[in-house]
Amino acid sequence: MSWSSCPFCSQQVLSTELERHANNHFEDEDLAKDFQLAKHYHDEDIPFDLPHHIAVSSSSTNCFYHCEAKHGFSSIMVMLKDCLECDNGTNTSILCGHVDHFQSVEFEDIGWGCGWRNIQMLTSHLVVQRQEAKEILFGGDGLVPDILSLQRWLEIAWEKGFDIAGANDFDQKIYGKKTWIGTTECAALFRSFGIRARIVDFSSASRLSTDVSGNKKRKSTPQVTTGPMDKYLNTTASTSTSNSKSINDNNFLGVKGSQLLANWVWSYFSKNNNNNDMSASIKPKPGCNRVVVTDKAPLYFQHDGHSRTIVGIQLKSLPNGMHQHSLLILDPAHKTKVLESCLSKKVGWQRYIKRGVHTLKKSDYQMCYVDHGIATEEEMEKLKILDSTRFEF
C-alpha cells in the first residue's frame, strides 16, 4: 500500500486516491481564480511526486496539478532504443531523445483526449531537451500541465490573438470541454509562447479538384470524416484556421501514396538543428542495427478521428536491396504499463509502436512539428496566423 502527501494540505493519503483528494481543494465556480493560476502557477512552491504518466484531467474540477518531468533519456525511450538495437534484420532507426508516454485515462479523457495527451508528450520533450523552451513554456518550471491547465493556456493563446478563426470555432471557450482538438490547436498553443510550431498537410490528390484557372482546390463535398480533421478539410481557404501552401521538393517528386509521408518523416528526423542532412552518415551498416538519437522533437500526428505521437522512424534493409520504412509511434490509447512491459521483455512491442507504410490508409494526414529557437517579437505577430505546407499523395 503506497501513501503520498497532498501538495496542498500535506495530508497523507493513499496514492490511488491522491488525484481525487487534490481535486477536492478546488471549487467549480472559482473559474477566475483558476484562470490566474494557469498563468502564474509557477510562482507556487508545490512539491510534485506523481508518476509522470498520470495526469489529473477531470472536467468536473478545476485542478491545476502538474506532473514532474524527468530529466535525461526517458525510460520508455531507453527501452525502445534497446529493442531497436536487438530488432531482426539490418536496420537503422532515428529516435527523439526524451519523450514520456501519456495515456488516456478511463473516465477522464478516453475518446476525446488524445490531442491533449500528444501535446503533453511533445511538452515532455521540449522541457527536458531544449532549455530555451523550458524557460518560457507554462511558467518555466519544466512541468507538464494536465489537460485542464492546457485548456486554460489555449484560451490564453486565443485571447492573445493566436488562431482567431480556430478560437471562434470553439466560441473562445474550451476549458472543461470534452472536445476533440487537432494540429491547429497544438500549434496555436505552442506559438503563443514563441515556440515555432509548424503544420504540414498530406492530402490524397483524389480529394482535390481543379478550378477554371487551373488551380487545385478542395472538393466541395469531401468524404465524411470525424474528429478535428473535418474542420480543416471542409472549410474554404478564406475561413480555414490554416492557409495551405503547396510545395515541391526534389526529395519527394515522383513518390506515390503514403510513402511520400514516410519519406518526409525520415527527412525530418535525419536533419539536425542546422538543417544539415545526416542521411548519408546514418544509412544501415551490413550485419548490425543502428539507433541514432536526434535532436529533433517528436511529431504530433493527426488523422481522421485520432492522433498519436511519432517519436522516430526505422529504415529496414530488405534482401532484394530495397528499403522499408516504419514509423515509431507512441499512442495515447495504449496503456503505459503495457508498453513498458513489452519493451522491457523485448516481446510484442512491435505491434504497439511500429507502423509500416502499408498501414497508412487514410486520405489525409496532418503533422505539427517544432523548429528550434524562439520567435522574435516580429515573428510572434506572424505566428498568430496559422498556415501549413501541403504535400499531395
Side-chain angles (χ1 to χ4, degrees), residues 158-205:
W158 289 340
E159 282 192 352
K160 292 178 179 178
F162 289 86
D163 191 19
I164 293 175
N168 291 337
D169 283 346
F170 290 97
D171 297 323
Q172 308 287 330
K173 301 293 182 183
I174 199 167
Y175 176 80
K177 293 182 179 179
K178 298 180 179 180
T179 305
W180 274 318
I181 62 166
T183 55
T184 53
E185 287 73 42
C186 177
L189 178 61
F190 283 116
R191 285 183 175 203
S192 69
F193 293 98
I195 302 296
R196 293 167 172 152
R198 318 290 188 190
I199 297 173
V200 61
D201 178 22
F202 297 87
S203 183
S204 171

Side-chain angles (χ1 to χ4, degrees), residues 106-334:
E106 191 174 3
F107 305 122
E108 294 286 351
D109 66 293
I110 286 180
W112 61 271
C114 56
W116 300 109
R117 297 305 183 186
N118 291 311
I119 290 175
Q120 288 177 320
M121 285 192 247
L122 183 50
T123 300
S124 76
H125 172 88
L126 294 174
V127 299
V128 170
Q129 297 289 135
R130 301 189 184 180
Q131 181 64 29
E132 76 279 11
K134 175 186 174 182
E135 292 175 356
I136 62 173
L137 275 174
F138 309 114
D141 281 340
L143 303 177
V144 179
D146 59 37
I147 290 178
L148 284 179
S149 296
L150 289 174
Q151 290 177 331
R152 284 291 196 219
W153 284 113
L154 181 55
E155 288 183 353
I156 294 170
W158 289 340
E159 282 192 352
K160 292 178 179 178
F162 289 86
D163 191 19
I164 293 175
N168 291 337
D169 283 346
F170 290 97
D171 297 323
Q172 308 287 330
K173 301 293 182 183
I174 199 167
Y175 176 80
K177 293 182 179 179
K178 298 180 179 180
T179 305
W180 274 318
I181 62 166
T183 55
T184 53
E185 287 73 42
C186 177
L189 178 61
F190 283 116
R191 285 183 175 203
S192 69
F193 293 98
I195 302 296
R196 293 167 172 152
R198 318 290 188 190
I199 297 173
V200 61
D201 178 22
F202 297 87
S203 183
S204 171
S206 64
R207 297 285 300 278
L208 303 171
S209 61
T210 305
D211 63 21
V212 292
S213 63
N215 296 320
K216 297 267 180 147
K217 65 176 184 179
R218 297 285 180 188
K219 288 185 177 179
S220 58
T221 55
Q223 69 184 47
V224 177
T225 61
T226 59
M229 291 286 292
D230 56 359
K231 175 181 65 176
Y232 180 84
L233 294 172
N234 293 341
T235 53
T236 64
S238 60
T239 59
S240 173
T241 57
S242 290
N243 300 314
S244 296
K245 54 184 178 182
S246 297
I247 187 170
N248 289 320
D249 189 314
N250 290 333
N251 292 326
F252 308 112
L253 292 178
V255 180
K256 297 181 179 180
S258 53
Q259 183 61 49
L260 185 147
L261 185 152
N263 285 9
W264 186 92
V265 174
W266 175 267
S267 178
Y268 168 80
F269 281 117
S270 63
K271 291 180 179 179
N272 61 24
N273 60 2
N274 293 319
N275 211 33
N276 296 321
D277 196 341
M278 303 182 295
S279 297
S281 62
I282 57 178
K283 286 183 178 180
K285 292 183 177 180
C288 69
N289 292 325
R290 296 192 64 197
V291 181
V292 177
V293 179
T294 180
D295 59 1
K296 288 302 187 73
L299 297 165
Y300 182 119
F301 184 42
Q302 179 74 53
H303 55 81
D304 177 14
H306 192 43
S307 62
R308 297 170 287 175
T309 297
I310 299 177
V311 297
I313 187 168
Q314 183 183 70
L315 184 65
K316 182 176 183 178
S317 297
L318 303 177
N320 60 4
M322 302 295 287
H323 296 99
Q324 177 179 295
H325 288 101
S326 292
L327 304 181
L328 304 173
I329 289 176
L330 293 181
D331 192 332
H334 295 152

Side-chain angles (χ1 to χ4, degrees), residues 2-139:
S2 177
W3 295 80
S4 298
S5 176
C6 173
F8 305 109
C9 67
S10 300
Q11 180 180 338
Q12 292 293 314
V13 296
L14 286 172
S15 297
T16 56
E17 295 293 319
L18 182 57
E19 292 180 20
R20 181 189 60 78
H21 174 87
N23 283 342
N24 287 337
H25 286 281
F26 295 84
E27 296 297 330
D28 287 330
E29 64 269 21
D30 200 6
L31 299 182
K33 179 180 177 181
D34 285 343
F35 192 80
Q36 288 301 114
L37 185 58
K39 291 182 179 179
H40 304 296
Y41 76 89
H42 61 285
D43 294 329
E44 302 292 332
D45 185 16
I46 299 175
F48 298 96
D49 57 0
L50 283 179
H52 185 66
H53 62 84
I54 297 175
V56 178
S57 57
S58 173
S59 62
S60 62
T61 56
N62 297 319
C63 181
F64 293 95
Y65 190 58
H66 299 258
C67 301
E68 184 177 7
K70 305 183 189 76
H71 293 272
F73 207 46
S74 65
S75 60
I76 203 163
M77 296 298 287
V78 169
M79 290 187 287
L80 176 56
K81 183 175 183 290
D82 290 343
C83 288
L84 290 168
E85 289 174 341
C86 298
D87 206 6
N88 293 327
T90 301
N91 312 313
T92 291
S93 303
I94 312 177
L95 281 181
C96 300
H98 182 105
V99 184
D100 286 308
H101 179 254
F102 283 80
Q103 68 180 47
S104 290
V105 179
E106 191 174 3
F107 305 122
E108 294 286 351
D109 66 293
I110 286 180
W112 61 271
C114 56
W116 300 109
R117 297 305 183 186
N118 291 311
I119 290 175
Q120 288 177 320
M121 285 192 247
L122 183 50
T123 300
S124 76
H125 172 88
L126 294 174
V127 299
V128 170
Q129 297 289 135
R130 301 189 184 180
Q131 181 64 29
E132 76 279 11
K134 175 186 174 182
E135 292 175 356
I136 62 173
L137 275 174
F138 309 114

